[in-house]
Amino acid sequence: MTVETKKTVASATAEIDIEKAQQFMHKVVADCAATVSVTLAVIGDQLGLYRALADMGAVTSAQLAKSTHTSERYVREWLINQAAAGYIEYDTKSGQYSLPNERAAALLDTDSPFYLGGALMIALAMTKAEPRIRENFRTGAGMRWGEHDPYMWEGCERLFRPGYLANLTQSWIPALDGVQAKLERGAKVADIGCGHGASTIIMAKAYPNSHFFGFDAHPASIEQARKHAEDAGVADRVTFEVASSTAYPGNDYDLVAFFDCLHDIGDPANTIRHTRDALAPDGTVLLVEPAAGKHIEDNFNPVGQFYSGASVLVCTPNALATGTEALGTVATDDALAAVVKKGGLNRFRRVLETPINRIFEARI
Ligand SMILES: C[S@@+](CC[C@H](N)C(=O)[O-])C[C@H]1O[C@@H](n2cnc3c(N)ncnc32)[C@H](O)[C@@H]1O
């Protein structure tokens, strides 16, 4: 009797259901294939292959290679992989490949709410951290944000910026009590853990009467944020400085914002304590954190899978390298509320959520 016709078979340790085993094999093969295609997607992005596909319409491998000054032998194989992955289309009659508009939005349009090029970059950067993180499992040591592959930093900006562009000034700030009016009149704002400054610059453009101070512990990110502020023409009202979340300068801030970073910070309660002291008496804290559920099983979906993986490979290691408390990327609302309260802010509420973020307001 062959394996196909039997319902169960004895493995080394136990009897297994063949159909279930085969279903799981398909899943693992699909995961491995997807991991490979993520690497090839980043290559396609960096070499302009997607850009050329979008601009040229239907192309052969020779045409694509010629227009991108790449090797046809590599491009030929890349196209097969990308068509197999469902990222591009293949026409069997003409032998040409194309990139449908909806997929071009996800792969090329960095301003689009559909854009996911940043997620691809981060996913690839995270795989490069595997040797360090594997060792950390044994030692309990950490790994700083700045020790990651640079794709991590650019990928983070590209991942979160479209969401900030679509939501920050349209719905998140208006949802905070009285903050929009202050920003329109002229307010003082700090953006802690600002990374490349995407959120800071979006706010600065929307509220020309206000002044913005971005702080981050990672010098290369601050350098990049300064360049972005110059390019955006807001450098006269936006200052970026290297500073830790527990010691950044300034006081009387009307708004202190934390975009996707409180859970990366190794000393979150002291960060909130310092922020309480830096706030104006009626100031507001805007806390943007990754989407996560109340129960562990609420995170058993692709977004929860991505974020909990990022927690292991990026966020928790940074917290452990720089402090004593790691909230984790999928910290519950209650865990966040507890830290905010410990830091001395008593009013805390979730004001909004998106598929990838939770938005909170905290006040003295
Ligand atoms: C996931 S990134 C988010 C960056 C940015 N806010 C965004 O949304 O694109 C986390 C950032 O927090 C910064 N960070 C981590 N711990 C910090 C600390 N203790 N003080 C200041 N910045 C910190 C990192 O350097 C990194 O730029």
Side-chain angles (χ1 to χ4, degrees):
M1 192 181 281
T2 64
V3 164
E4 282 73 28
T5 53
K6 269 177 89 175
K7 261 188 126 71
T8 60
V9 64
S11 77
T13 52
E15 197 168 77
I16 59 172
D17 180 311
I18 294 166
E19 204 179 313
K20 284 184 185 164
Q22 285 175 335
Q23 276 170 6
F24 183 63
M25 283 173 73
H26 289 153
K27 179 186 160 37
V28 175
V29 170
D31 288 352
C32 294
T35 305
V36 174
S37 287
V38 165
T39 306
L40 295 199
V42 173
I43 289 175
D45 175 55
Q46 295 294 300
L47 294 179
L49 301 179
Y50 291 134
R51 179 76 271 159
L53 272 167
D55 291 346
M56 295 170 76
V59 287
T60 62
S61 60
Q63 290 165 329
L64 184 60
K66 188 163 182 244
S67 79
T68 53
H69 308 289
T70 50
S71 158
E72 189 277 336
R73 193 64 198 86
Y74 278 96
V75 169
R76 203 190 314 167
E77 305 298 314
W78 181 85
L79 284 164
I80 295 169
N81 168 274
Q82 293 288 290
Y87 277 35
I88 62 176
E89 291 281 319
Y90 177 63
D91 184 68
T92 50
K93 285 204 185 85
S94 65
Q96 291 181 315
Y97 296 88
S98 60
L99 181 64
N101 291 344
E102 297 74 21
R103 299 182 212 170
L107 296 169
L108 286 167
D109 185 353
T110 52
D111 286 353
S112 165
F114 299 107
Y115 183 67
L116 280 169
L120 291 165
M121 241 179 184
I122 289 188
L124 179 56
M126 285 199 277
T127 65
K128 298 186 183 190
E130 184 272 335
R132 271 288 295 278
I133 302 302
R134 172 167 31 94
E135 192 52 28
N136 287 355
F137 269 75
R138 295 206 172 88
T139 63
M143 178 176 179
R144 285 173 189 262
W145 180 254
E147 293 178 283
H148 281 278
D149 185 279
Y151 275 163
M152 184 69 72
W153 318 326
E154 187 183 344
C156 177
E157 176 191 1
R158 287 195 191 195
L159 172 63
F160 290 127
R161 186 174 162 277
Y164 303 157
L165 262 182
N167 299 301
L168 176 51
T169 60
Q170 295 87 334
S171 56
W172 297 354
I173 285 175
L176 304 174
D177 195 8
V179 172
Q180 178 165 273
K182 283 188 197 171
L183 290 174
E184 281 167 356
R185 278 198 303 274
K188 187 174 168 188
V189 180
D191 187 354
I192 314 304
C194 63
H196 285 188
S199 49
T200 335
I201 292 167
I202 288 167
M203 291 190 287
K205 281 174 140 176
Y207 306 109
N209 295 327
S210 290
H211 281 79
F212 297 85
F213 301 85
F215 300 109
D216 198 288
H218 180 223
S221 286
I222 287 296
E223 213 174 293
Q224 192 61 41
R226 286 179 181 149
K227 281 194 195 121
H228 285 338
E230 288 286 345
D231 293 345
V234 293
D236 57 328
R237 291 182 297 106
V238 182
T239 312
F240 288 110
E241 295 290 342
V242 176
S244 117
S245 59
T246 50
Y248 60 88
N251 50 32
D252 272 335
Y253 289 109
D254 298 294
L255 176 67
V256 178
F258 295 85
F259 290 94
D260 284 293
C261 66
L262 190 70
H263 62 273
D264 293 283
I265 290 172
D267 206 352
N270 271 331
T271 292
I272 297 295
R273 201 164 291 128
H274 179 72
T275 298
R276 186 190 191 284
D277 295 341
L279 273 179
D282 63 344
T284 302
V285 170
L286 166 61
L287 181 60
V288 176
E289 280 289 296
K294 189 173 169 59
H295 308 287
I296 292 209
E297 59 271 27
D298 296 336
N299 302 307
F300 296 170
N301 52 63
V303 171
Q305 184 183 351
F306 186 87
Y307 278 145
S308 57
S311 196
V312 177
L313 294 164
V314 188
C315 311
T316 299
N318 185 74
L320 294 176
T322 57
T324 52
E325 186 175 357
L327 277 166
T329 305
V330 291
T332 61
D333 287 19
D334 289 347
L336 295 168
V339 156
V340 167
K341 194 166 183 196
K342 199 170 158 194
L345 295 178
N346 292 319
R347 286 184 282 170
F348 182 75
R349 65 182 180 109
R350 192 208 281 214
V351 293
L352 284 172
E353 61 189 318
T354 73
I356 65 164
N357 279 122
R358 288 169 292 163
I359 324 302
F360 302 94
E361 176 189 73
R363 305 187 70 175
I364 294 171

